[in-house]
Amino acid sequence: MRTSRLLLATLKEDPSEAEIISHRLMLRAGLIRRLAAGLYSWLPLGQRVVNKVAAIVRQEMDRAGAQEIVMPAIQPSELWQESGRWNQFGPELLRLADRHQRDFCIGPTHEEVVTDIARREIRSYRQLPLNLYQIQTKFRDEVRPRFGVMRSREFVMKDAYSFDMDAAGLAKSYALMHDAYVRIFERIGLDFRVVDADPGAIGGSRSQEFHVLADSGEDAIAFSTSGDYAANLETVPSAPPETTLAAPGQAMEKVATPDAHTIDELCQQLNVASSRCVKTLLVRAAQGGCIALVVRGDDQLNEVKASRVPGIKLPLEFAGEEQVRQAAGAGTGSLGPVGLHLPCYVDAHAAVLADFVSGANEDGYHLRGVNWHRDVALPEAMDLRNVKEGEKTPDGNGEIAIARGIEVGHIFQLGAKYSVAMNATCPDETGRAIPFEMGCYGIGITRIPAAAIEQCHDERGIVWPTAIAPYQVVLLPMNLAKSTRVREAAQALYSELSDAGIEVLFDDRPVRPGVMFAEAELIGIPHRLVLGERGLDRNEIEYKRRRDGAEEKVPLDQVVKWLRSLINTELLRVNA
Ligand code: ATP
Ligand code: MG
């Protein structure tokens, strides 16, 4: 590609709409443009990256024996009624009516449609195992679309669905997908971890997520410092407290805390440790009203665990300031279990506190010396907290360390959840109708370029792994306009590189070398060649690697072969 012909839409200034580095760089390098909240256009350079990601995913899915299909983005409500999700799915599901007033949704995922295909088309157990996948546009009306294509409303997903007759078959199909995913992320060239996950709204039993490690990641992942344990923090069970409830030592008293709006301010004012306080949070109940959840002041509420509290409204929703005031007679900063007439659950670590501090359910006041049983009945204790670094892993093998991750893939063993609900069965050897054992497997195709940039960038711009770079090589001729020799040599080299199957961006614009260098670095092309008069005199070309700035002079007549083998080794790393 000649740069003069490319819609190169780089920006000099940092766009103000971007909060994280990948979003900023994707806008600055001209990969994407925002149309509306959570809706992005992919410009040529960006779309090339998306295509490369999709090609790797497609190859590995095919290699694992999955078959590509495409299902409609718009889905009829009847199928969602059958699975029960028409009513369960919250406002993330964008619903619409056609001209005949029939209800539809824009697919956020495709379990219903693919189960419908399976129940119509699969006639015999001999056709199994079967795995169908698609690379297709999804829509989820996210509460907070942000970070550009990282959490957008419209995005491209690869979703695959496996069908088996029994649990053993499902386990095999699942293992195949697990291994295909490992190959995909290794080939793309990212540092990733596979972690145990919560099956969430999709349902089912076993589930694992693939996370690209990056500080800006929205998820916390917990892993063992010395063992194999790795799980999304939201699913890690907390060990029970080591202490038991002690007898009261202090009398309960009400203290004025006019300036304490946070736990830290409260601790400072009363001179107590946050581990001696409790936080009380109100969430909405399914039947209306609120439920109170109590955790220790130094602990964080785990929302996945909280979603298992009986009677809670799903998805979990915190009560608004007004609802809190109505239910408790005070604002969120002054809540506590004493005198609170609401269903209440307490985290096991807060249930063993004696002489603790809590809100008084009166604005500007707290209670000191509170004791369970004596001052307030001890509510049912549950595991409601996030585990912390340094605690023992659930398998007892090492201590927990926590890193940030970006979820790029998710695999589930669904079991018969959808096949039973939608009566999708297949006759077994004896002719008995058996519901399919299903698995589903997603990859965020359009999230991957953003995740890759979060992991691979420097102060000058993007540093693409070669496997997904929009171009593999950038060829920068010096003084093209003035030097016939350079022009001819550069044109010849451009043709030779292209003929060797190397994807090269040839900067034939009449711009200053400084501009060429800066833009090539911003858009992150992994390999750079600079051709000038001086090099021609010596029959050599200057090579520079984007990743680490390593430089080399390469004989001009060998550079194509040399680059070809360099790129081949990069791309074939896990291909064998
Ligand atoms: P998240 O927790 O990030 O919302 P999810 O658990 O809802 O993800 P899945 O339903 O498992 O996601 O979808 C499969 C994959 O699709 C995810 O692993 C992620 O890579 C991608 N994905 C999900 N939501 C979005 C989004 N709003 N924008 C871009 N990619 C997304
Ligand atoms: Mg989601």
Side-chain angles (χ1 to χ4, degrees):
M1 183 73 186
R2 289 169 184 273
T3 309
S4 62
R5 307 302 312 142
L6 176 70
L7 178 62
L8 183 65
T10 55
L11 305 175
K12 288 216 175 53
E13 305 296 326
D14 265 343
S16 58
E17 69 187 79
E19 293 167 69
I20 57 169
I21 191 80
S22 60
H23 188 193
R24 203 148 64 218
L25 285 173
M26 291 185 88
L27 290 166
R28 278 199 56 206
L31 307 183
I32 55 168
R33 284 295 183 265
R34 180 180 182 275
L35 176 66
L39 302 178
Y40 286 84
S41 301
W42 287 87
L43 300 184
L45 275 184
Q47 186 57 26
R48 284 184 69 90
V49 177
V50 172
N51 287 343
K52 291 208 164 172
V53 171
I56 292 173
V57 170
R58 196 171 261 127
Q59 275 174 19
E60 293 301 333
M61 293 309 289
D62 291 345
R63 184 203 294 270
Q67 299 172 50
E68 186 167 2
I69 60 172
V70 176
M71 293 177 271
I74 309 274
Q75 309 179 8
S77 63
E78 288 79 9
L79 285 183
W80 286 70
Q81 302 276 15
E82 275 190 64
S83 72
R85 286 206 293 187
W86 187 255
N87 296 323
Q88 275 163 23
F89 232 87
E92 261 192 33
L93 186 67
L94 184 63
R95 298 156 211 252
L96 55 150
D98 71 2
R99 62 167 81 202
H100 308 294
Q101 305 313 313
R102 288 195 199 107
D103 288 328
F104 290 83
C105 64
I106 309 190
T109 174
H110 278 70
E111 282 79 11
E112 282 80 0
V113 181
V114 81
T115 305
D116 183 57
I117 292 178
R119 70 180 169 187
R120 289 168 190 273
E121 311 303 332
I122 303 175
R123 297 286 143 73
S124 157
Y125 66 92
R126 289 192 195 85
Q127 292 171 278
L128 303 183
L130 183 70
N131 187 324
L132 300 174
Y133 79 95
Q134 63 173 348
I135 294 179
Q136 191 251 17
T137 300
K138 301 279 183 275
F139 192 94
R140 294 180 182 180
D141 206 350
E142 299 272 355
V143 216
R144 269 194 80 196
R146 57 186 182 148
F147 305 153
V149 293
M150 191 83 90
R151 182 167 298 285
S152 49
R153 297 197 293 169
E154 190 176 300
F155 58 97
V156 177
M157 194 201 287
K158 184 285 297 173
D159 43 330
Y161 305 87
S162 67
F163 298 89
D164 281 279
M165 288 305 281
D166 52 31
L170 167 57
K172 257 191 218 160
S173 296
Y174 180 89
L176 267 176
M177 284 296 105
H178 172 280
D179 296 351
Y181 275 38
V182 168
R183 290 180 61 87
I184 287 167
F185 295 112
E186 279 179 0
R187 278 185 64 184
I188 292 175
L190 296 174
D191 185 11
F192 68 97
R193 292 279 184 289
V194 191
V195 307
D196 292 338
D198 170 54
I202 308 254
S205 48
R206 175 105 219 255
S207 147
Q208 286 167 299
E209 290 167 353
F210 289 70
H211 282 267
V212 166
L213 300 182
D215 291 339
S216 62
E218 285 186 289
D219 285 63
I221 59 182
F223 56 95
S224 166
T225 47
S226 50
D228 291 334
Y229 186 82
N232 193 310
L233 183 68
E234 56 188 31
T235 71
V236 184
S238 166
E242 280 163 12
T243 53
T244 51
L245 185 58
Q250 301 170 3
M252 184 171 82
E253 58 169 332
K254 191 160 98 178
V255 283
T257 49
D259 304 320
H261 303 293
T262 65
I263 281 278
D264 284 348
E265 286 167 356
L266 177 72
C267 292
Q268 220 163 32
Q269 209 172 323
L270 297 184
N271 195 25
V272 289
S274 56
S275 58
R276 315 271 331 148
C277 305
V278 300
K279 290 191 273 204
T280 305
L281 303 144
L282 299 196
V283 295
R284 290 178 194 271
Q287 307 295 341
C290 295
I291 295 176
L293 306 176
V294 179
V295 295
R296 231 166 66 172
D298 58 337
D299 276 333
Q300 294 297 329
L301 180 76
N302 179 308
E303 296 189 14
V304 165
K305 294 177 183 177
S307 301
R308 293 185 204 123
V309 166
I312 214 150
K313 177 169 183 257
L314 294 176
L316 186 81
E317 219 181 296
F318 289 96
E321 188 68 38
E322 207 163 293
Q323 203 184 4
V324 167
R325 203 161 278 287
Q326 236 174 34
T332 43
S334 304
L335 300 181
V338 181
L340 189 65
H341 300 292
L342 290 175
C344 187
Y345 293 84
V346 59
D347 176 72
H349 288 247
V352 292
L353 285 182
D355 301 327
F356 61 86
V357 172
S358 80
N361 299 318
E362 186 179 337
D363 284 335
Y365 288 93
H366 279 79
L367 297 172
R368 191 151 55 186
V370 183
N371 283 275
W372 298 116
H373 302 302
R374 185 193 70 184
D375 306 321
V376 52
L378 179 65
E380 188 177 327
M382 288 180 70
D383 177 9
L384 291 174
R385 70 191 277 274
N386 280 336
V387 296
K388 292 190 203 150
E389 279 201 317
E391 292 177 13
K392 258 205 160 40
T393 57
D395 65 0
N397 195 358
E399 282 182 1
I400 285 176
I402 293 175
R404 306 299 303 180
I406 300 167
E407 183 195 318
V408 287
H410 199 166
I411 57 179
F412 298 86
Q413 292 191 13
L414 289 172
K417 176 176 163 167
Y418 292 89
S419 48
V420 166
M422 296 180 62
N423 196 24
T425 62
C426 178
D428 69 3
E429 287 153 54
T430 65
R432 202 161 49 110
I434 306 286
F436 296 110
E437 283 289 315
M438 291 173 56
C440 77
Y441 317 93
I443 287 189
I445 301 284
T446 46
R447 182 181 280 183
I448 288 174
I453 295 173
E454 284 300 322
Q455 200 170 76
C456 313
H457 67 268
D458 61 18
E459 63 292 348
R460 295 187 299 280
I462 302 168
V463 184
W464 289 116
T466 300
I468 59 168
Y471 292 93
Q472 296 162 336
V473 176
V474 60
L475 173 59
L476 307 182
M478 299 293 102
N479 261 323
L480 188 80
K482 289 193 194 122
S483 166
T484 319
R485 275 175 78 209
V486 169
R487 188 159 59 242
E488 282 169 0
Q491 302 254 16
L493 184 55
Y494 172 50
S495 307
E496 256 190 275
L497 287 164
S498 307
D499 290 346
I502 294 173
E503 297 166 17
V504 50
L505 188 59
F506 173 30
D507 201 340
D508 59 342
R509 298 171 301 168
V511 298
R512 286 184 293 111
V515 173
M516 283 186 187
F517 293 150
E519 286 195 328
E521 290 188 317
L522 173 63
I523 65 176
I525 310 302
H527 305 290
R528 185 184 90 181
L529 295 174
V530 175
L531 186 65
E533 293 261 357
R534 229 172 338 135
L536 282 178
D537 290 341
R538 298 190 198 128
N539 189 35
E540 63 186 23
I541 190 159
E542 282 173 37
Y543 164 82
K544 187 170 178 179
R545 190 161 57 202
R546 176 71 181 91
R547 181 157 41 89
D548 55 4
E551 287 181 286
E552 205 164 321
K553 300 240 194 298
V554 184
L556 197 49
D557 51 0
Q558 284 168 35
V559 71
V560 176
K561 221 174 120 197
W562 181 79
L563 263 180
R564 185 65 273 171
S565 91
L566 191 73
I567 291 170
N568 282 351
T569 14
E570 285 178 323
L571 297 185
L572 296 178
R573 229 180 351 202
V574 291
N575 256 6

